[in-house]
């Protein structure tokens, strides 16, 4: 069976993470800071209700 292709970047990142395992924890901390936040359904509803539809051709002046 043929070995699947992996880009040079993927190979570099695999090797770099093997040499720097502490970066995995830094990544988790950053992810928790920016993405894994508690969600407020009421705030989300208000935000979506306040949105204005975007003209698909906004770069064309009428």
């Amino acid at each position: 069976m043929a070995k699947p292709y992996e880009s040079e970047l993927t190979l570099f990142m695999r090797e770099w993470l093997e040499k720097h395992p502490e970066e995995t924890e830094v990544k988790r901390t950053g992810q928790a800071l920016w993405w894994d936040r508690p969600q407020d359904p009421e705030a989300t509803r208000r935000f979506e209700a306040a949105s204005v539809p975007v003209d698909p051709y906004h770069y064309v002046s009428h």
Side-chain angles (χ1 to χ4, degrees):
M1 187 164 166
K3 182 179 175 186
Y5 172 78
E6 287 188 326
S7 70
E8 290 180 16
L9 178 61
T10 301
L11 295 173
F12 168 78
M13 288 304 299
R14 286 187 200 282
E15 181 181 330
W16 191 80
L17 286 172
E18 286 175 7
K19 292 179 182 176
H20 302 91
E22 70 280 0
E23 290 300 320
T24 303
E25 186 59 36
V26 172
K27 176 187 171 218
R28 284 193 194 115
T29 303
Q31 180 176 352
L33 176 67
W34 293 103
W35 299 105
D36 298 340
R37 296 181 177 192
Q39 300 297 309
D40 179 6
E42 180 60 25
T44 302
R45 187 196 61 73
R46 287 193 320 263
F47 179 75
E48 290 174 353
S51 67
V52 177
V54 178
D55 182 6
Y57 297 100
H58 61 275
Y59 51 87
V60 177
S61 58
H62 295 268

